[in-house]
Amino acid sequence: MLLLNGITAVLGTFSASILVYIITNWIQQISKRNNILKLIGYVYRPLYYFINLKYVGVVTYILLLASLFFATLAPVSDHLETTNNIILSTVSYIIFLILFFVVIGFIGKRKKIINNLVEESQYNIPDVDSLRIKWNKVFGGIFVLVIRYFLIILAITFVLTAIFMVIDKDFDQVGLLILFSIIISFIITICVYVFYITRRPNLGILDTDTEIEMKLFDLVKDPAYCVCIIDNSGNEYCGNLESISYGIVIKQNEGTIINLPYELVSKAKSCPKSRNSSSTLQPYQ
């Protein structure tokens, strides 16, 4: 009974940690900051798609990495012919299949977001193919945003497994299987991370979430596109949207930088047509 409780506790902690991370990300989606960004996104369309793609990317990658853990645990558990290992293997296969199909669904959402962006932009952007490349690179860069938290989850699961192995000697065999799967998952995750980093030298695992978001947004913002932000006092600031990380940063025509805290933003609207009539997104290099 203690052995079964140990298995449930370890796998439950891992799964709960994944779920908490997803819920936390969802809460961020409905926060005051994100509501302001969505408000501006209705005018500044790249921001609208960036917000949606970021959320889909976070969920996709965290579930993909979680499925990797169960994909390594399931076949390893098959090698020991005990009732508990059979249960562990069966549960791992079931969870892996569920996560696998959920991930496929979210990948479809990513494709839909990018297709909608391209369809909306095709009359203003001559190089649609480069637009896809740019936004797919943003989606790939979100992996760096997720990987740090997944490694922390693996570390927590590793420590908890080791504790149960000390408490219950009957848990040794199952515990070794789980530790082995954690190590394999860690190695594969780091290998994938290194692959991404070689292609994305500006992103690093030691960067903060804000720094990573800033670098990803730099890929999709259009410096030539103008947007007007109105604060709570009715003051209007028009210019290029430069950053969304520590507030709404607007660069006006004369080069003046305006940084508005999110709580001061009241409305957003398009600039006069004369400001944007010649604006086109630059092809991605």
Side-chain angles (χ1 to χ4, degrees):
M1 189 66 177
L2 186 58
L3 174 59
L4 186 59
N5 289 339
I7 296 174
T8 303
V10 171
L11 296 185
T13 299
F14 178 83
S15 302
S17 298
I18 296 292
L19 185 60
V20 167
Y21 180 65
I22 292 175
I23 292 175
T24 301
N25 186 257
W26 177 77
I27 292 175
Q28 290 176 350
Q29 286 292 105
I30 59 175
S31 65
K32 171 71 173 179
R33 173 183 182 270
N34 239 60
N35 287 336
I36 293 297
L37 293 180
K38 287 178 181 177
L39 174 69
I40 299 172
Y42 286 117
V43 177
Y44 188 86
R45 299 303 287 172
L47 178 58
Y48 171 81
Y49 288 108
F50 179 78
I51 294 170
N52 291 333
L53 191 67
K54 179 188 170 188
Y55 174 72
V56 170
V58 166
V59 176
T60 299
Y61 282 118
I62 196 67
L63 292 181
L64 183 63
L65 291 172
S67 68
L68 168 66
F69 169 75
F70 287 105
T72 59
L73 181 59
V76 169
S77 303
D78 285 337
H79 292 290
L80 294 179
E81 298 297 331
T82 66
T83 302
N84 289 305
N85 288 333
I86 292 174
I87 294 174
L88 179 61
S89 176
T90 302
V91 171
S92 297
Y93 274 120
I94 292 173
I95 295 178
F96 166 71
L97 289 175
I98 293 174
L99 291 178
F100 179 77
F101 286 111
V102 173
V103 167
I104 290 178
F106 272 92
I107 290 177
K109 288 180 179 292
R110 178 218 60 168
K111 184 177 180 181
K112 183 178 180 180
I113 290 173
I114 295 179
N115 285 342
N116 288 343
L117 167 70
V118 171
E119 183 178 349
E120 185 175 305
S121 306
Q122 62 182 339
Y123 300 108
N124 301 319
I125 303 172
D127 191 357
V128 173
D129 290 337
S130 68
L131 187 65
R132 288 187 184 276
I133 294 173
K134 180 191 294 186
W135 282 83
N136 279 318
K137 182 172 182 178
V138 171
F139 186 80
I142 295 171
F143 177 76
V144 183
L145 196 62
V146 172
I147 188 174
R148 175 171 54 237
Y149 295 95
F150 182 71
L151 293 179
I152 292 174
I153 292 171
L154 285 181
I156 293 172
T157 308
F158 188 96
V159 171
L160 185 63
T161 303
I163 291 174
F164 271 100
M165 289 176 67
V166 172
I167 295 175
D168 182 10
K169 295 301 180 183
D170 293 334
F171 190 73
D172 283 353
Q173 284 187 328
V174 176
L176 286 174
L177 295 179
I178 295 175
L179 292 181
F180 180 75
S181 297
I182 291 174
I183 293 171
I184 295 298
S185 299
F186 175 83
I187 293 173
I188 294 176
T189 303
I190 291 298
C191 288
V192 176
Y193 166 73
V194 171
F195 171 75
Y196 268 110
I197 284 301
T198 57
R199 299 177 61 187
R200 294 162 178 79
N202 292 328
L203 297 176
I205 195 173
L206 297 180
D207 292 341
T208 65
D209 289 2
T210 302
E211 290 171 336
I212 293 174
E213 181 188 69
M214 186 186 305
K215 293 173 182 178
L216 292 177
F217 182 69
D218 283 343
L219 290 175
V220 301
K221 69 179 183 181
D222 177 12
Y225 190 83
C226 177
V227 63
C228 290
I229 305 297
I230 303 171
D231 65 16
N232 294 334
S233 300
N235 300 313
E236 185 174 296
Y237 307 94
C238 297
N240 301 335
L241 184 60
E242 291 293 304
S243 178
I244 59 171
S245 299
Y246 298 101
I248 304 302
V249 179
I250 298 292
K251 185 176 181 180
Q252 298 179 312
N253 271 351
E254 64 276 14
T256 304
I257 301 295
I258 304 295
N259 190 344
L260 286 176
Y262 297 110
E263 58 270 16
L264 295 184
V265 176
S266 175
K267 298 178 182 178
K269 68 177 185 178
S270 299
C271 290
K273 290 184 178 180
S274 59
R275 289 286 304 274
N276 288 319
S277 59
S278 61
S279 299
T280 56
L281 289 169
Q282 299 301 312
Y284 173 68
Q285 302 296 328

